[in-house]
Amino acid sequence: MLGRLLRPTATPPRSRKLVSTNVTQTGGAPLDPADRPARFAGIDVGGTTIKAVLVDGSGTVLEERRRATPRPGERIAERVTGAAAELIGEFAAAHGPLGGAGVVVPGVVDELAGVGVYSKNLGWHDAPFARLLSEALEIPVGFGHDVRAGGAAEAWLGAARGVRNSLFIAIGTGLSAAAIADGRMVSGDGYAGEIGHADVGHGEPCGCGLRGCLEVVASASGIANRYSARSGRSVGGADEVAALVRAGDPDATVVWGDALDGLAVAVRWSVYLLGTETVVLGGGLAQAPDLLLDPIAERVNEGLSYQRRPHIVAAALGDRAGALGAALLGMGGLSG
Ligand SMILES: [Zn+2]
């Protein structure tokens, strides 16, 4: 049922190619799903850490492993692929043959082409991950985007379970989103969900060259930086700003309010455009739900009349969401 939920309802010509490229068994025809061992590895390649999970067919985690992400540099895509293949090999050695695996990476990711188009932090351009992975692994392997995988996992097992129209917002060093509309993940050739660089009207410059970007006011690093700039006191992170909001610090309250205002603009547009029913907020900030969920909902609702009010909820899967979504890809249950 989940596979149907997240798979495109109509198959455009390019995605027919994707199915054979993205879920590949080297050296033979694709395995019949019924014959595949019900163990799947999910690998989430982050800027500093690779998170790996081994799950059964229902998403129960059998084992979890972590290791450092290879440092950017020459042949980074090959080295990341090698690290992912090693982790998958370790799971197979410990638990027996796997039915499939999925690998997700950050940046702009074109799932249909199987390419990591661009990662600022890891430094690749047009890295052919689907091909590299299918060459390195002898099991069906899927490839995708970390935030879309996180959104898919929250819809599969987490806070948006059973919801056909959801928006997952990952709030971290950066800020981006994954939209599921009518049960389909929206990929836009890899460009969907980049709401961090949507103009929400504050006018301050962003590293991307534009002004007013949501990420400047509402990413975890943006909140910490803006508080430091405004108050002259440096803080370790957005969680410290949250604590200062609770303590009644006026600078923290203003900075936090700007973040809420910006997020509310993004959520409202998702509601207008896609009829989003549930908004899942992920990342460290979701640890302060009392300062985030109701205040955003109030701001969102001020801009809605006859539209249905979205539920604003905290992510349920923590920093495992991307790896769980990658495992879902390995089952063939997620398409862009
Ligand atoms: Zn920007």
Side-chain angles (χ1 to χ4, degrees):
M1 183 217 157
L2 177 80
R4 209 175 59 219
L5 178 74
L6 293 175
R7 211 167 268 159
T9 48
T11 308
R14 278 184 77 198
S15 76
R16 258 184 229 123
K17 187 175 163 222
L18 160 74
V19 172
S20 58
T21 307
N22 227 18
V23 180
T24 306
Q25 182 198 19
T26 48
L31 286 170
D32 182 334
D35 296 335
R36 290 162 67 178
R39 283 181 295 274
F40 304 90
I43 312 288
D44 177 11
V45 178
T48 55
T49 306
I50 299 180
K51 302 175 191 105
V53 295
L54 181 73
V55 303
D56 65 15
S58 66
T60 301
V61 175
L62 307 172
E63 197 191 337
E64 189 168 4
R65 291 177 181 239
R66 295 187 179 215
R67 71 174 45 176
T69 305
R71 296 178 65 85
E74 209 164 309
R75 300 178 70 79
I76 176 66
E78 285 82 355
R79 288 184 286 121
V80 164
T81 299
E86 260 179 51
L87 282 158
I88 292 164
E90 288 168 19
F91 283 143
H95 296 268
L98 308 188
V103 177
V104 300
V105 302
V108 177
V109 173
D110 184 344
E111 292 99 336
L112 295 186
V115 169
V117 177
Y118 172 61
S119 167
K120 185 175 151 201
N121 291 335
L122 291 168
W124 58 65
H125 289 267
D126 295 327
F129 278 107
R131 177 175 63 75
L132 294 171
L133 288 162
S134 68
E135 286 169 2
L137 294 161
E138 295 187 343
I139 56 173
V141 56
F143 169 70
H145 180 248
D146 56 354
V147 176
R148 282 190 283 282
E154 290 288 348
W156 176 29
L157 301 166
R161 195 169 179 164
V163 178
R164 283 175 50 79
N165 297 284
S166 63
L167 183 75
F168 173 66
I169 304 181
I171 305 171
T173 311
L175 191 153
S176 66
I180 294 176
D182 292 336
R184 290 180 56 179
M185 181 63 69
V186 179
S187 173
D189 298 333
Y191 290 92
E194 293 290 331
I195 63 170
H197 302 282
D199 183 359
V200 295
H202 56 74
E204 294 176 24
C206 175
C208 75
L210 299 175
R211 285 181 179 271
C213 292
L214 177 60
E215 190 169 293
V216 171
V217 292
S219 65
S221 52
I223 289 170
N225 292 340
R226 288 185 82 243
Y227 177 78
S228 298
R230 185 182 172 93
S231 68
R233 296 188 295 276
S234 89
V235 285
D239 50 343
E240 281 184 39
V241 181
L244 288 162
V245 172
R246 285 204 176 85
D249 181 293
D251 291 320
T253 303
V254 170
V255 165
W256 198 265
D258 291 344
L260 299 174
D261 288 343
L263 287 165
V265 171
V267 169
R268 274 207 297 269
W269 274 98
S270 181
V271 172
Y272 298 148
L273 190 62
L274 300 172
T276 299
E277 305 165 77
T278 296
V279 178
V280 180
L281 300 178
L285 280 196
Q287 305 298 322
D290 56 316
L291 295 180
L292 212 54
L293 304 180
D294 288 348
I296 291 176
E298 283 166 20
R299 285 165 165 80
V300 169
N301 292 344
E302 282 168 11
L304 301 178
S305 61
Y306 62 89
Q307 298 93 340
R308 60 185 171 189
R309 268 68 174 145
H311 300 287
I312 316 279
V313 299
L317 303 176
D319 68 357
R320 273 179 172 175
L324 288 164
L328 180 60
L329 259 177
M331 299 175 193
L334 166 65
S335 294

